[in-house]
Short mmCIF file of all heavy atoms in Angstrom, two decimals:
data_model
loop_
_atom_site.label_atom_id
_atom_site.label_comp_id
_atom_site.label_asym_id
_atom_site.label_seq_id
_atom_site.Cartn_x
_atom_site.Cartn_y
_atom_site.Cartn_z
N PHE H 1 -52.71 20.75 -0.15
CA PHE H 1 -53.47 22.02 -0.30
C PHE H 1 -53.84 22.47 1.12
O PHE H 1 -54.23 21.64 1.95
CB PHE H 1 -54.71 21.80 -1.16
CG PHE H 1 -55.54 22.98 -1.34
CD1 PHE H 1 -55.04 24.16 -2.05
CD2 PHE H 1 -56.88 23.07 -0.87
CE1 PHE H 1 -55.84 25.26 -2.23
CE2 PHE H 1 -57.63 24.22 -0.99
CZ PHE H 1 -57.15 25.32 -1.71
N ARG H 2 -53.77 23.68 1.38
CA ARG H 2 -54.08 24.28 2.72
C ARG H 2 -53.16 23.65 3.71
O ARG H 2 -53.57 23.35 4.84
CB ARG H 2 -55.47 24.14 3.09
CG ARG H 2 -56.49 24.85 2.19
CD ARG H 2 -57.87 24.64 2.68
NE ARG H 2 -58.84 25.44 1.84
CZ ARG H 2 -60.15 25.35 1.96
NH1 ARG H 2 -60.72 24.58 2.96
NH2 ARG H 2 -60.95 25.98 1.15
N GLY H 3 -51.97 23.31 3.34
CA GLY H 3 -50.95 22.74 4.29
C GLY H 3 -51.28 21.31 4.71
O GLY H 3 -50.60 20.76 5.63
N GLY H 4 -52.22 20.71 3.95
CA GLY H 4 -52.55 19.23 4.25
C GLY H 4 -53.23 19.24 5.69
O GLY H 4 -53.09 18.27 6.34
N SER H 5 -53.98 20.27 6.05
CA SER H 5 -54.49 20.34 7.44
C SER H 5 -55.58 19.27 7.55
O SER H 5 -55.84 18.82 8.78
CB SER H 5 -55.06 21.74 7.67
OG SER H 5 -55.92 22.12 6.69
N GLU H 6 -56.24 18.86 6.50
CA GLU H 6 -57.31 17.92 6.61
C GLU H 6 -56.98 16.76 5.61
O GLU H 6 -56.18 16.89 4.63
CB GLU H 6 -58.67 18.50 6.18
CG GLU H 6 -59.05 19.67 7.03
CD GLU H 6 -60.43 20.26 6.59
OE1 GLU H 6 -61.34 19.46 6.17
OE2 GLU H 6 -60.55 21.46 6.65
N GLU H 7 -57.49 15.57 5.88
CA GLU H 7 -57.19 14.35 5.17
C GLU H 7 -57.46 14.58 3.64
O GLU H 7 -56.73 14.15 2.78
CB GLU H 7 -58.00 13.15 5.65
CG GLU H 7 -57.52 12.67 7.01
CD GLU H 7 -56.16 11.95 6.93
OE1 GLU H 7 -56.03 11.16 6.04
OE2 GLU H 7 -55.30 12.40 7.66
N VAL H 8 -58.55 15.24 3.30
CA VAL H 8 -59.00 15.36 1.90
C VAL H 8 -58.09 16.37 1.15
O VAL H 8 -58.27 16.41 -0.05
CB VAL H 8 -60.41 15.85 1.84
CG1 VAL H 8 -61.40 14.84 2.28
CG2 VAL H 8 -60.67 17.16 2.60
N TYR H 9 -57.25 17.05 1.86
CA TYR H 9 -56.35 18.04 1.09
C TYR H 9 -54.85 17.55 1.18
O TYR H 9 -53.91 18.24 0.87
CB TYR H 9 -56.40 19.41 1.93
CG TYR H 9 -57.75 20.08 1.77
CD1 TYR H 9 -58.35 20.55 2.96
CD2 TYR H 9 -58.43 20.14 0.55
CE1 TYR H 9 -59.58 21.21 2.81
CE2 TYR H 9 -59.61 20.77 0.40
CZ TYR H 9 -60.21 21.28 1.63
OH TYR H 9 -61.51 21.91 1.48
N LYS H 10 -54.73 16.24 1.50
CA LYS H 10 -53.30 15.70 1.46
C LYS H 10 -52.97 14.99 0.16
O LYS H 10 -53.88 14.42 -0.50
CB LYS H 10 -53.16 14.65 2.68
CG LYS H 10 -53.18 15.31 3.98
CD LYS H 10 -53.05 14.28 5.10
CE LYS H 10 -52.91 14.92 6.57
NZ LYS H 10 -52.70 13.87 7.55
N CYS H 11 -51.76 15.07 -0.20
CA CYS H 11 -51.35 14.43 -1.40
C CYS H 11 -51.19 12.94 -1.12
O CYS H 11 -51.18 12.47 0.05
CB CYS H 11 -49.99 15.07 -1.91
SG CYS H 11 -48.56 14.63 -0.79
N VAL H 12 -50.94 12.17 -2.17
CA VAL H 12 -50.81 10.70 -1.97
C VAL H 12 -49.37 10.29 -2.38
O VAL H 12 -48.88 10.58 -3.48
CB VAL H 12 -51.81 9.94 -2.89
CG1 VAL H 12 -51.60 8.44 -2.84
CG2 VAL H 12 -53.21 10.25 -2.48
N LYS H 13 -48.64 9.80 -1.40
CA LYS H 13 -47.29 9.32 -1.66
C LYS H 13 -47.25 7.76 -1.55
O LYS H 13 -47.73 7.26 -0.46
CB LYS H 13 -46.29 9.92 -0.72
CG LYS H 13 -46.16 11.46 -0.99
CD LYS H 13 -45.08 12.04 -0.06
CE LYS H 13 -44.92 13.53 -0.21
NZ LYS H 13 -43.92 14.08 0.73
N MET H 14 -46.60 7.10 -2.40
CA MET H 14 -46.66 5.63 -2.41
C MET H 14 -45.33 5.03 -2.83
O MET H 14 -44.65 5.62 -3.66
CB MET H 14 -47.72 5.07 -3.28
CG MET H 14 -47.60 5.39 -4.70
SD MET H 14 -49.09 4.84 -5.69
CE MET H 14 -50.18 6.14 -5.42
N ARG H 15 -44.98 3.96 -2.13
CA ARG H 15 -43.75 3.23 -2.60
C ARG H 15 -44.24 2.09 -3.55
O ARG H 15 -45.20 1.35 -3.20
CB ARG H 15 -43.08 2.66 -1.42
CG ARG H 15 -41.76 1.83 -1.76
CD ARG H 15 -41.23 1.09 -0.52
NE ARG H 15 -40.95 2.02 0.54
CZ ARG H 15 -39.83 2.68 0.75
NH1 ARG H 15 -38.87 2.56 -0.16
NH2 ARG H 15 -39.66 3.48 1.86
N LEU H 16 -43.55 1.89 -4.66
CA LEU H 16 -43.94 0.92 -5.62
C LEU H 16 -43.14 -0.41 -5.45
O LEU H 16 -41.98 -0.36 -5.38
CB LEU H 16 -43.80 1.40 -7.00
CG LEU H 16 -44.54 2.73 -7.34
CD1 LEU H 16 -44.18 3.24 -8.77
CD2 LEU H 16 -46.10 2.59 -7.13
N GLU H 17 -43.86 -1.51 -5.39
CA GLU H 17 -43.21 -2.74 -5.36
C GLU H 17 -43.51 -3.57 -6.68
O GLU H 17 -44.65 -3.78 -6.91
CB GLU H 17 -43.69 -3.69 -4.10
CG GLU H 17 -43.25 -3.01 -2.79
CD GLU H 17 -43.80 -3.85 -1.60
OE1 GLU H 17 -44.32 -4.94 -1.86
OE2 GLU H 17 -43.71 -3.40 -0.52
N ILE H 18 -42.49 -3.80 -7.39
CA ILE H 18 -42.66 -4.42 -8.71
C ILE H 18 -42.46 -5.95 -8.72
O ILE H 18 -41.32 -6.36 -8.30
CB ILE H 18 -41.85 -3.74 -9.76
CG1 ILE H 18 -42.04 -2.25 -9.78
CG2 ILE H 18 -42.09 -4.33 -11.21
CD1 ILE H 18 -43.45 -1.74 -10.12
N ASN H 19 -43.32 -6.71 -9.12
CA ASN H 19 -43.11 -8.21 -9.29
C ASN H 19 -42.58 -8.83 -8.08
O ASN H 19 -41.67 -9.66 -8.08
CB ASN H 19 -42.08 -8.47 -10.48
CG ASN H 19 -42.66 -7.89 -11.80
OD1 ASN H 19 -43.79 -7.85 -11.95
ND2 ASN H 19 -41.70 -7.54 -12.62
N ARG H 20 -43.23 -8.54 -6.84
CA ARG H 20 -42.78 -9.13 -5.56
C ARG H 20 -43.92 -9.85 -4.95
O ARG H 20 -43.93 -10.09 -3.76
CB ARG H 20 -42.33 -8.02 -4.66
CG ARG H 20 -41.06 -7.36 -5.12
CD ARG H 20 -40.64 -6.21 -4.22
NE ARG H 20 -40.14 -6.72 -2.93
CZ ARG H 20 -39.59 -5.97 -2.06
NH1 ARG H 20 -39.43 -4.59 -2.23
NH2 ARG H 20 -39.18 -6.43 -0.87
N SER H 21 -44.95 -10.36 -5.79
CA SER H 21 -46.03 -11.03 -5.22
C SER H 21 -45.63 -12.40 -4.67
O SER H 21 -46.29 -12.98 -3.89
CB SER H 21 -47.10 -11.33 -6.27
OG SER H 21 -46.58 -11.93 -7.40
N TRP H 22 -44.42 -12.89 -5.06
CA TRP H 22 -43.95 -14.18 -4.56
C TRP H 22 -43.76 -14.13 -3.07
O TRP H 22 -43.77 -15.14 -2.37
CB TRP H 22 -42.63 -14.50 -5.20
CG TRP H 22 -41.49 -13.51 -5.09
CD1 TRP H 22 -41.28 -12.48 -5.91
CD2 TRP H 22 -40.61 -13.35 -4.04
NE1 TRP H 22 -40.27 -11.63 -5.50
CE2 TRP H 22 -39.76 -12.22 -4.26
CE3 TRP H 22 -40.34 -14.08 -2.89
CZ2 TRP H 22 -38.73 -11.80 -3.39
CZ3 TRP H 22 -39.27 -13.68 -2.09
CH2 TRP H 22 -38.49 -12.60 -2.37
N GLN H 23 -43.52 -12.89 -2.54
CA GLN H 23 -43.24 -12.73 -1.06
C GLN H 23 -44.50 -13.03 -0.30
O GLN H 23 -44.38 -13.32 0.89
CB GLN H 23 -42.77 -11.36 -0.77
CG GLN H 23 -41.39 -11.01 -1.27
CD GLN H 23 -40.91 -9.63 -0.83
OE1 GLN H 23 -41.74 -8.71 -0.76
NE2 GLN H 23 -39.63 -9.43 -0.66
N LYS H 24 -45.64 -13.01 -0.83
CA LYS H 24 -46.87 -13.34 -0.15
C LYS H 24 -47.19 -14.76 -0.15
O LYS H 24 -48.22 -15.20 0.58
CB LYS H 24 -48.08 -12.45 -0.70
CG LYS H 24 -47.87 -11.03 -0.73
CD LYS H 24 -49.02 -10.24 -1.33
CE LYS H 24 -50.28 -10.53 -0.67
NZ LYS H 24 -51.45 -9.77 -1.19
#
């Protein structure tokens, strides 16, 4: 919103990792 000029107006994009807790 408003071109994402401020942090509170930015969308949230995430990469999903499924069942990879073994890597930790």
Side-chain angles (χ1 to χ4, degrees):
F1 180 64
R2 295 182 181 177
S5 55
E6 299 179 39
E7 288 291 309
V8 293
Y9 296 131
K10 291 182 178 181
C11 67
V12 177
K13 294 182 182 179
M14 63 187 81
R15 184 191 301 274
L16 304 178
E17 296 180 8
I18 307 296
N19 302 331
R20 296 178 68 174
S21 58
W22 58 270
Q23 291 183 329
K24 298 179 64 177

